[in-house]
Amino acid sequence: MTEKNGLVAGIEAGGTKFICAVADGEGAVLELARIATRTPEETFRDVRDFFAGASAAHGPVAGAGVASFGPLDLRPGSPNYGHLTTTPKPGWQGFDIGGAVRETLGAPVRIDTDVNCAARAEGMAGAARGLSHFAYMTVGTGIGVGVFSAGDSVRGAGHTEIGHMRVPRAAGDERFPGVCPYHGDCVEGLASGPAMAERWGSPAEELPDDHDGWRIEAFYIGTLCANLTFALRPERIILGGGVFQRASLYERVRTAYRAAAAGYALSEIEQDTESFLASPGLTQEPPGLVGALLLGKRAAESIRGG
Ligand code: ADP
Ligand code: ZN
């Protein structure tokens, strides 16, 4: 079944690790490696070694997709397309990550943000299958939202930065300054995993279910979901990431969402919060890798005129 010339590469490029995979044309992973993120040079030396070994075993790669941390320049036609922009990560500012993958693999590359890739994967094979306009939110080390519409991620002057939006303070949380190095109390600054750990002195996974921190957390995420609804009218918002491993958070967020939206102009789709604010359909880790492989397939098809 496996056509040797149909192999695709996928990379989820994260701040702590790069997950590299080679898959067949059906998306079945043949080989996978986790590489610690260090300087670009050190990291890409290991990335090159992995793909050299995988190509020797399975054949050449026809296209690659990258699900990257950001921020990235994704403006079509930009001279810096595929470059990281203002990341505080030492050595990576301005780095041409898309170009580095193209050079390393000698194959066409498509790149998008990690959350846009997770959204792409959920749309193809997960909880957003059959929908054309939806969002994927991760609440983990950061808060990111990928918005998908008409078959592609929503981008324009840049990619979305919805986790850095501001929302009103939750009652009782007026004094916490927030942990975002840029904005302090944006949603990521108030409701990411590190924000919870900083506010309460222990990580989210250690807070009991009845801890007040979960009411505050749900308020911020539910309010952000209401804002997403008003701005973009997605048909579904998929909620994932490490903090959502706390299963009881879903119902709290649905309640907070209903309160924030206050019944204004909601369609039946948006009122059915169990289905509208859904858990991910895909359980493969990391969530962006499947989307990276889908992008890699599109990159391979683009040189065949597809
Ligand atoms: P990343 O965003 O780096 O990909 P994750 O999505 O795994 O990482 O999120 C990591 C965050 O999730 C950490 O801040 C951690 O405290 C939190 N976390 C991990 N497990 C749980 C859990 N069971 N309940 C609540 N929070 C959790
Ligand atoms: Zn911010």
Side-chain angles (χ1 to χ4, degrees), residues 163-164 180-184 186-189:
H164 292 277
C180 175
Y182 294 95
H183 314 114
C186 63
V187 177
E188 177 169 300

Side-chain angles (χ1 to χ4, degrees), residues 15-41:
T16 54
K17 58 188 181 302
F18 272 46
I19 304 207
C20 302
V22 170
D24 66 19
E26 317 282 291
V29 173
L30 305 171
E31 216 164 307
L32 184 141
R34 288 178 177 77
I35 291 163
T37 309
R38 290 145 292 157
T39 65
E41 295 70 30

Side-chain angles (χ1 to χ4, degrees), residues 229-245:
T229 293
F230 293 143
L232 296 160
R233 302 314 288 256
E235 298 163 279
R236 181 164 293 153
I237 302 172
I238 297 164
L239 303 170
V243 176
F244 271 99
Q245 285 182 45

